[in-house]
Amino acid sequence: MDDQVLSQTYAAALPELSIPWQADAPPRPELLWLNEELAGELGLDPEQLRTPDGIALLTGQVDEQGCPRPSLAHAPEHPFTTAQVYAGHQFGNPNPQLGDGRAVLLGDLRGPAGSRHDLHLKGAGATPFARAGDGKAPLGPMLREAVVGESLHALGVPTTRALAVLGTGEQIAPRQGVTPEPGAILVRAAASHLRVGTFEYAAWHLGTEVLERLVEYAIERHHPAARAAANPSLSLLEAVVQEQATLLAQWMLVGFVHGVMNTDNMTISGEGIDYGPCAFLDRHRHGAVFSSIDRGGRYAYGNQPGIALWNLSRFAETLVRLIDEDPDVAVEQATAVLERFEPTYLDAYARGMAAKLGIPTADGGGRLDAVRSMGAEVLALLEEQQVDHTGFFRALSDGDPSALFADPTPFRAWHERLLELRGAGPAADEARAGMMRANPVHIPRNVHLDAALRAAHLGDLDPVLTLLDAVREPFERRAEHAHLEGPGDGGEDFLTFCGT
Ligand code: AMP
Ligand code: MG
């Protein structure tokens, strides 16, 4: 499209880690939603994406050079697009072989800002890595991923994003006993699709030379500063630990529950990826679980930072032989890097909590400890009195949230201490004003998202578009979106069933 040229830099650098694969041609593709803002960031012309050439591109119908191929006469003998292989730990158990079972990598392109982005299609038909499923994707989960990605992005949280959602013209049944849903394709833009599971696959099945090339590719693409480091593998680990620690702090602050933090759903870029049975908290609960498959609560809200560190430890294990030829030395060095996860997380979390509570942190240090304990205390109060996470912080920004508490006395005592900690003067005023940019009015509330997806299933996209509109300006209170602000009824028992 335009001057934009799709490349397959990953397949070129690491032919062992993907196979050429052609996406199925959908019978009646229809562009349901196009992310024009993101198209612009990628250097793609939204108008062109709406043409038959654009639809061909967005459904993976490209020729051997990656150019759109609207005529469906014959599939290319050597497909340009690829399916990536990876492994992973799923709910703690190693799975030696996973991969793009229903997705293809369209390719990567360099945006106007200079950075490379992958374009990836989900729901493109079964590949040789398909597990059980038919390779298709139902509309609901694809729209859900689009909405969640846009919301997180607007909240300033690193994330993969949807460039487009297309209907395929097919009806598919995701599970037995479930009414068939319209089939869909999600076109996803990501800094890359390198996952912890990609490194696990290379470490478990391929030689050190491939692993070295994978490290080199990851460094080149995401953490170029590590190139010049004395120990590039260790430096890569350090960068990923840093990015994931800050990502997790942000998830916890906005009350986001990913739901399936398997190592194959954790990126090397530091972006969140694969939003399946995920949800934002309504009332604050440390143990909140929204995924029907997470029976043990492994991926509960409050467990997420610990799980991230567990996943990073699996990542570190794949790098041991590159870090030092003496495994004892390598493990010692990797452990020292992993130990930095906690302080990095706590620091990012405390700074974010300070912004949410309107406490200036310019003088740093001691005050961050106080912020941390003030945050923990108020979250315990929210949990005890079943108060809404997002609603509380916004009400605190707007003025007095005591009406949200059944018994406001402990909150009032806490609030007195908050005012003391905040202090007075220009820094305090600025922090107080900044709360409006730290505490959203709009998140994709479970009940509203679910209702919007049900409407979409029945052919009415308007509620999803309205919700997208609200969550893309999360800090703006707008009269026309007032009905989307609160948790609605029944949000607490919400469970999601979608795969990722
Ligand atoms: P997860 O991301 O943890 O849900 O695991 C996804 C794995 O299941 C990947 O290997 C996917 O490619 C595969 N998968 C999920 N849904 C389907 C489907 N409908 N058809 C084929 N494979 C699928
Ligand atoms: Mg996945």
PDB file of all heavy atoms in Angstrom, residues 86 122 188 195 264-265 273-274 500, ligand 2:
ATOM      1  N   TYR A  86       5.803 -21.492  18.152  1.00  0.00           N
ATOM      2  CA  TYR A  86       6.352 -21.198  19.473  1.00  0.00           C
ATOM      3  C   TYR A  86       5.956 -22.319  20.417  1.00  0.00           C
ATOM      4  O   TYR A  86       5.219 -23.233  20.041  1.00  0.00           O
ATOM      5  CB  TYR A  86       5.910 -19.821  19.996  1.00  0.00           C
ATOM      6  CG  TYR A  86       4.434 -19.489  19.837  1.00  0.00           C
ATOM      7  CD1 TYR A  86       3.503 -19.891  20.786  1.00  0.00           C
ATOM      8  CD2 TYR A  86       3.980 -18.753  18.743  1.00  0.00           C
ATOM      9  CE1 TYR A  86       2.157 -19.569  20.659  1.00  0.00           C
ATOM     10  CE2 TYR A  86       2.636 -18.432  18.600  1.00  0.00           C
ATOM     11  CZ  TYR A  86       1.730 -18.847  19.560  1.00  0.00           C
ATOM     12  OH  TYR A  86       0.399 -18.535  19.429  1.00  0.00           O
ATOM     13  N   LYS A 122      -5.735 -12.685  12.694  1.00  0.00           N
ATOM     14  CA  LYS A 122      -6.236 -13.734  13.573  1.00  0.00           C
ATOM     15  C   LYS A 122      -7.572 -14.199  13.012  1.00  0.00           C
ATOM     16  O   LYS A 122      -8.412 -13.369  12.649  1.00  0.00           O
ATOM     17  CB  LYS A 122      -6.450 -13.120  14.957  1.00  0.00           C
ATOM     18  CG  LYS A 122      -6.198 -14.023  16.108  1.00  0.00           C
ATOM     19  CD  LYS A 122      -5.995 -13.164  17.350  1.00  0.00           C
ATOM     20  CE  LYS A 122      -6.088 -13.973  18.601  1.00  0.00           C
ATOM     21  NZ  LYS A 122      -5.759 -13.177  19.775  1.00  0.00           N
ATOM     22  N   ARG A 188      -4.105  -7.293  13.492  1.00  0.00           N
ATOM     23  CA  ARG A 188      -3.462  -6.766  14.688  1.00  0.00           C
ATOM     24  C   ARG A 188      -2.111  -6.156  14.338  1.00  0.00           C
ATOM     25  O   ARG A 188      -1.339  -6.735  13.577  1.00  0.00           O
ATOM     26  CB  ARG A 188      -3.286  -7.919  15.663  1.00  0.00           C
ATOM     27  CG  ARG A 188      -2.525  -7.579  16.916  1.00  0.00           C
ATOM     28  CD  ARG A 188      -2.729  -8.617  17.980  1.00  0.00           C
ATOM     29  NE  ARG A 188      -1.983  -9.851  17.731  1.00  0.00           N
ATOM     30  CZ  ARG A 188      -2.111 -10.951  18.476  1.00  0.00           C
ATOM     31  NH1 ARG A 188      -2.988 -10.989  19.457  1.00  0.00           N
ATOM     32  NH2 ARG A 188      -1.407 -12.006  18.225  1.00  0.00           N
ATOM     33  N   ARG A 195       7.499 -13.857  21.551  1.00  0.00           N
ATOM     34  CA  ARG A 195       6.924 -14.181  22.856  1.00  0.00           C
ATOM     35  C   ARG A 195       7.974 -14.904  23.687  1.00  0.00           C
ATOM     36  O   ARG A 195       8.936 -15.456  23.137  1.00  0.00           O
ATOM     37  CB  ARG A 195       5.729 -15.132  22.663  1.00  0.00           C
ATOM     38  CG  ARG A 195       4.679 -14.596  21.694  1.00  0.00           C
ATOM     39  CD  ARG A 195       3.896 -15.745  21.047  1.00  0.00           C
ATOM     40  NE  ARG A 195       3.041 -15.263  19.958  1.00  0.00           N
ATOM     41  CZ  ARG A 195       1.756 -14.989  20.069  1.00  0.00           C
ATOM     42  NH1 ARG A 195       1.150 -15.177  21.208  1.00  0.00           N
ATOM     43  NH2 ARG A 195       1.061 -14.530  19.040  1.00  0.00           N
ATOM     44  N   ASP A 264       3.350 -18.083  26.383  1.00  0.00           N
ATOM     45  CA  ASP A 264       3.167 -17.817  24.956  1.00  0.00           C
ATOM     46  C   ASP A 264       2.311 -16.574  24.737  1.00  0.00           C
ATOM     47  O   ASP A 264       2.130 -16.143  23.596  1.00  0.00           O
ATOM     48  CB  ASP A 264       2.542 -19.030  24.246  1.00  0.00           C
ATOM     49  CG  ASP A 264       1.271 -19.505  24.921  1.00  0.00           C
ATOM     50  OD1 ASP A 264       1.341 -19.890  26.106  1.00  0.00           O
ATOM     51  OD2 ASP A 264       0.212 -19.485  24.278  1.00  0.00           O
ATOM     52  N   ASN A 265       1.765 -16.008  25.813  1.00  0.00           N
ATOM     53  CA  ASN A 265       1.002 -14.768  25.701  1.00  0.00           C
ATOM     54  C   ASN A 265       1.745 -13.612  26.349  1.00  0.00           C
ATOM     55  O   ASN A 265       1.142 -12.638  26.769  1.00  0.00           O
ATOM     56  CB  ASN A 265      -0.379 -14.932  26.343  1.00  0.00           C
ATOM     57  CG  ASN A 265      -1.274 -15.878  25.556  1.00  0.00           C
ATOM     58  OD1 ASN A 265      -1.102 -16.043  24.351  1.00  0.00           O
ATOM     59  ND2 ASN A 265      -2.219 -16.514  26.225  1.00  0.00           N
ATOM     60  N   ILE A 273      -0.554  -8.585  25.038  1.00  0.00           N
ATOM     61  CA  ILE A 273      -0.994  -9.265  23.811  1.00  0.00           C
ATOM     62  C   ILE A 273      -2.030 -10.329  24.141  1.00  0.00           C
ATOM     63  O   ILE A 273      -2.094 -10.812  25.265  1.00  0.00           O
ATOM     64  CB  ILE A 273       0.221  -9.921  23.094  1.00  0.00           C
ATOM     65  CG1 ILE A 273      -0.120 -10.293  21.648  1.00  0.00           C
ATOM     66  CG2 ILE A 273       0.735 -11.145  23.858  1.00  0.00           C
ATOM     67  CD1 ILE A 273       1.098 -10.686  20.811  1.00  0.00           C
ATOM     68  N   ASP A 274      -2.847 -10.681  23.147  1.00  0.00           N
ATOM     69  CA  ASP A 274      -3.782 -11.807  23.231  1.00  0.00           C
ATOM     70  C   ASP A 274      -4.820 -11.637  24.333  1.00  0.00           C
ATOM     71  O   ASP A 274      -4.809 -12.344  25.342  1.00  0.00           O
ATOM     72  CB  ASP A 274      -3.014 -13.131  23.422  1.00  0.00           C
ATOM     73  CG  ASP A 274      -2.589 -13.725  22.091  1.00  0.00           C
ATOM     74  OD1 ASP A 274      -2.971 -13.161  21.044  1.00  0.00           O
ATOM     75  OD2 ASP A 274      -1.874 -14.737  22.085  1.00  0.00           O
ATOM     76  N   THR A 500      -7.809 -17.012  23.246  1.00  0.00           N
ATOM     77  CA  THR A 500      -6.968 -15.869  22.917  1.00  0.00           C
ATOM     78  C   THR A 500      -6.271 -16.129  21.606  1.00  0.00           C
ATOM     79  O   THR A 500      -5.177 -15.778  21.387  1.00  0.00           O
ATOM     80  CB  THR A 500      -5.932 -15.619  24.025  1.00  0.00           C
ATOM     81  OG1 THR A 500      -5.175 -16.810  24.189  1.00  0.00           O
ATOM     82  CG2 THR A 500      -6.604 -15.249  25.312  1.00  0.00           C
TER      83      THR A 500
HETATM   84 MG    MG B   2      -2.095 -16.778  22.582  1.00  0.00          MG
END
